Amino acid sequence: MNTPVTRSPQGRRRRMRHAWPVTSVLAASALLLASCGGDAEGEGDAAAELDMETSGVGAMEDFAAGDTFVATEPVEFSLLYRDHPNYPIQEDWEFLSKLEEHGVTLETSNAPLSDWAERRALVIGAGDAPDFIPITYPGDETQFIAGGALLPVSDYLDLMPNLTEKIESWELEEDFASLYQEDGKFYVLPGLLEDPQHQYSFAVRGDIWDELGLEDPESFEEFADQLRQVKEAYPDMVPYSDRWSENGPIEATLNVAAPNFGTSAGWGYGDGMHYDAEADEFVYAGAMDEYRDLLAYFAGLVDEGLMDSESLTQDDDQAIQKFASGGSAVIGANDQELLTYRTSIEEVGDEDMEVRLIRVPGGPAGDMVDASRLESGMALSSDVAEEEDFVALMQFLDWLYYSDEGMEFAKWGVEGETYSMGEDGTRTLAENIDMNGLNPDGEEQLNVDYGYHNGVFMLAHGSSTELVQSMLRDEVIEFRDSMESKERLTPDPARPLDELERETASISQTQLTDQVRTATAQFILGQRDIEEWDSFVSELEASGMDQFVDLHNEAYQRAQETLDGEVVED
């Protein structure tokens, strides 16, 4: 039910850079559109044809990058709101009341975090989607395109000057190329990052690492050797007990480890397609020898007693409790979860425990990192194009999510109220407010009590490197700086499927992904011997893996033939 909110809301090699003959995201769209036999006039045509008398209620005239959006008359927009249990939505949030000063009232339909994906699919599939849907990652939208429920947002980039300016100034054209569908359009507005921001790795007991004279391991083999030393020194402890296995086995850890083994896994598995640069084709990640080697590594840790076998079945709280109570010395982590671990340790009362985040080790494929600059974004209902305040909606979203002013507002709040700005450009939270441990004596939380620093309204946690790092602790900045020396994988080339291909692929994808997820756990736990790998690959082939791969490579070649044969001028 809608709740009105008022007075508040690759093998062992580097994946080489693919040469795209495009100088702008608009040109990329035109080429892909032409490759599909469509109209290659480029983006913006739909926006140019809008009748402001019927679509321009509340819109600003001559809205440009850097302008503050203020509706010319009050407007109300609806959204599907992901309600996080750590900062549940409040009607009296200052964030929402400040938006009213911009002439905007938000009406939310709330979905709990635990039911987010299912609720989103339900409302979109039923044709009952609100105006916009944040927390939509690139790829989440593809299943809804055929039904016409989502707006082809690429048709309306002319209404979003802040977004288009950042695409150009941050050279994001190649990243955006992967968003295009077979019809030459894209249907999700992603969060943007000026530079990749690395968050996930392993948290280790720093006091134990120091005691044993250990440094950040350069390779996963060295990491395994360090776990052996921990086990020898602390025989009653399981060195490594992991988490984030709710939807699949140790998905965060496999995600960050996979590029170093030359494959894709965990949260980064996606539809299973992995681009082989040397062969210039896509292969199925779950059947790669490199995927086998990745699983064999973690299976070896379990077999030696270096990794807790319960890592693949326990919930996050259990894993955290083991770590905080001294039952383990390593756990998957990100910079925010470090604070959770420290709080849990304080509750146990062991003041000698220290926790730090180590740099992700390198692997047999090299010292690699998948450094996408597109983050969680948003999709829009196709119905919004018929609304009288459609232009105002696009201007508002462009300001809030993509302008420097809007992004700073969503992250920090209002200068002089929730934070102050020093002469050197350093922001400082008000004395009574804390966020991410920056002001631990603050009795209020910026997200819980004010509604700022909320992922629903803050794509990519700020977007610009300066803004992203403005609220990071020194130790987090040091970790991210250490990850910058890793070799970045470049974005995969586009492979847009047509409607029939998407329907065919979705059936195979579900079955294949389920098989890989099950086998991943079995191989790591030793329930299935790694020597049975060839038999497992045969099982994937029997489930249509080869046809699934061929489908994607045919789509890739269709787009590639046009892109490689065109010359585009600015």
Side-chain angles (χ1 to χ4, degrees):
M1 183 177 72
N2 287 347
T3 304
V5 176
T6 58
R7 294 302 307 159
S8 43
Q10 103 193 17
R12 305 177 188 275
R13 57 198 173 272
R14 181 184 181 187
R15 189 185 305 169
M16 301 302 293
R17 177 172 295 277
H18 187 81
W20 286 90
V22 295
T23 55
S24 71
V25 68
L26 308 183
S29 171
L31 287 176
L32 283 173
L33 203 56
S35 75
C36 303
D39 178 5
E41 291 299 317
E43 262 79 10
D45 292 344
E49 294 174 0
L50 286 172
D51 183 348
M52 293 299 289
E53 291 188 4
T54 59
S55 302
V57 170
M60 294 175 59
E61 186 176 356
D62 299 324
F63 178 67
D67 290 347
T68 299
F69 175 79
V70 179
T72 56
E73 60 180 272
V75 290
E76 180 178 278
F77 304 129
S78 62
L79 74 148
L80 186 63
Y81 182 86
R82 184 208 62 182
D83 205 5
H84 200 293
N86 291 346
Y87 42 96
I89 190 169
Q90 306 293 328
E91 292 190 2
D92 62 350
W93 270 348
E94 180 182 293
F95 171 83
L96 297 170
S97 62
K98 291 296 183 182
L99 287 184
E100 290 188 353
E101 296 179 10
H102 291 261
V104 176
T105 299
L106 293 181
E107 177 186 327
T108 68
S109 179
N110 302 332
L113 174 64
S114 60
D115 193 39
W116 172 249
E118 292 78 8
R119 178 67 181 278
R120 180 180 60 191
L122 179 63
V123 297
I124 296 176
D128 192 31
D131 294 339
F132 66 105
I133 307 168
I135 317 298
T136 300
Y137 285 84
D140 290 345
E141 81 285 9
T142 54
Q143 61 182 308
F144 307 112
I145 293 173
L150 299 182
L151 183 76
V153 289
S154 55
D155 282 350
Y156 301 96
L157 294 186
D158 282 359
L159 301 177
M160 309 191 77
N162 291 289
L163 170 60
T164 53
E165 180 185 67
K166 283 184 168 53
I167 292 172
E168 182 177 355
S169 63
W170 291 354
E171 299 180 349
L172 287 162
E173 293 90 350
E174 187 172 329
D175 299 75
F176 262 72
S178 63
L179 299 178
Y180 286 95
Q181 304 299 322
E182 195 270 344
D183 59 2
K185 304 174 187 293
F186 62 82
Y187 294 78
V188 63
L189 292 170
L192 310 181
L193 287 170
E194 182 178 11
D195 294 299
Q197 299 295 320
H198 314 288
Q199 300 181 51
Y200 286 84
S201 184
F202 302 94
V204 303
R205 282 277 303 278
D207 53 307
I208 292 178
W209 251 244
D210 291 342
E211 174 194 337
L212 300 178
L214 304 177
E215 303 289 342
D216 284 10
E218 294 185 3
S219 69
F220 273 95
E221 284 304 319
E222 183 181 352
F223 181 52
D225 186 60
Q226 292 181 346
L227 295 178
R228 295 184 185 101
Q229 294 181 59
V230 172
K231 184 174 178 62
E232 182 178 357
Y234 294 88
D236 295 332
M237 172 189 292
V238 57
Y240 169 33
S241 187
D242 213 346
R243 56 178 296 196
W244 283 309
S245 295
E246 181 178 354
N247 298 310
I250 53 173
E251 289 192 296
T253 295
L254 292 182
N255 180 46
V256 298
N260 301 279
F261 284 79
T263 188
S264 305
W267 285 339
Y269 192 75
D271 59 11
M273 289 292 93
H274 182 89
Y275 181 62
D276 184 333
E278 288 189 1
D280 190 25
E281 66 180 10
F282 285 88
V283 297
Y284 194 66
M288 296 174 68
D289 289 347
E290 291 80 3
Y291 196 91
R292 176 200 60 199
D293 295 343
L294 173 69
L295 302 190
Y297 173 81
F298 286 96
L301 297 184
V302 172
D303 184 57
E304 286 191 57
L306 304 177
M307 178 178 176
D308 183 5
S309 62
E310 294 182 353
S311 298
L312 282 72
T313 56
Q314 66 189 353
D315 61 35
D316 289 354
D317 288 342
Q318 290 174 306
I320 294 170
Q321 183 59 33
K322 287 180 181 178
F323 184 74
S325 63
S328 66
V330 180
I331 186 174
N334 61 35
D335 51 77
Q336 289 186 316
E337 286 302 298
L338 281 181
L339 302 178
T340 300
Y341 302 158
R342 288 167 181 159
T343 298
S344 298
I345 288 171
E346 289 176 3
E347 292 173 353
V348 172
D350 191 337
E351 298 180 355
D352 295 328
M353 288 188 185
E354 297 179 5
V355 185
R356 68 169 179 252
L357 203 61
I358 64 171
R359 182 181 183 276
V360 176
D367 194 15
M368 314 295 293
V369 63
D370 191 356
S372 172
R373 292 193 293 159
L374 301 186
E375 278 276 0
S376 170
M378 61 185 146
L380 279 70
S381 168
S382 58
D383 293 339
V384 297
E386 306 301 322
E387 297 294 334
E388 63 178 8
D389 55 8
F390 173 57
V391 175
L393 170 65
M394 301 302 287
Q395 292 178 347
F396 165 70
L397 296 177
D398 184 60
W399 171 77
L400 179 63
Y401 290 102
Y402 298 108
S403 76
D404 294 338
E405 179 185 52
M407 292 187 300
E408 182 177 55
F409 163 71
K411 188 176 183 72
W412 279 92
V414 178
E415 184 178 359
E417 297 183 22
T418 56
Y419 75 98
S420 59
M421 180 75 80
E423 293 183 1
D424 61 352
T426 300
R427 302 171 188 81
T428 303
L429 287 170
E431 292 183 0
N432 61 310
I433 300 175
D434 182 31
M435 191 69 230
N436 293 339
L438 291 178
N439 185 18
D441 292 331
E443 297 179 354
E444 297 178 306
Q445 293 290 314
L446 189 62
N447 54 358
V448 175
D449 299 295
Y450 292 84
Y452 301 113
H453 204 273
N454 181 339
V456 174
F457 304 115
M458 185 186 63
L459 306 182
H461 288 266
S463 197
S464 71
T465 300
E466 185 279 325
L467 192 57
V468 169
Q469 295 189 348
S470 67
M471 203 175 278
L472 297 181
R473 307 180 303 280
D474 288 344
E475 64 176 337
V476 178
I477 295 176
E478 291 174 4
F479 164 73
R480 296 190 179 189
D481 286 346
S482 75
M483 292 287 289
E484 282 300 306
S485 61
K486 294 179 78 71
E487 193 169 8
R488 298 180 186 176
L489 300 179
T490 55
D492 286 345
R495 46 184 169 86
L497 303 178
D498 63 30
E499 181 177 342
L500 181 58
E501 288 170 334
R502 280 196 299 270
E503 293 177 359
T504 302
S506 65
I507 298 173
S508 299
Q509 178 181 330
T510 299
Q511 181 172 350
L512 291 168
T513 300
D514 287 346
Q515 286 179 263
V516 171
R517 184 177 291 132
T518 298
T520 295
Q522 292 173 337
F523 281 122
I524 291 176
L525 292 174
Q527 298 169 351
R528 190 167 186 177
D529 196 295
I530 203 71
E531 296 300 322
E532 298 180 24
W533 184 258
D534 290 344
S535 296
F536 166 62
V537 173
S538 296
E539 294 167 13
L540 294 178
E541 292 171 344
S543 295
M545 179 186 70
D546 292 340
Q547 294 88 336
F548 182 72
V549 172
D550 289 344
L551 198 67
H552 285 275
N553 276 315
E554 289 168 5
Y556 167 53
Q557 288 301 323
R558 276 201 311 269
Q560 194 62 21
E561 286 169 6
T562 297
L563 290 169
D564 284 344
E566 294 284 346
V567 177
V568 182
E569 299 179 357
D570 282 330

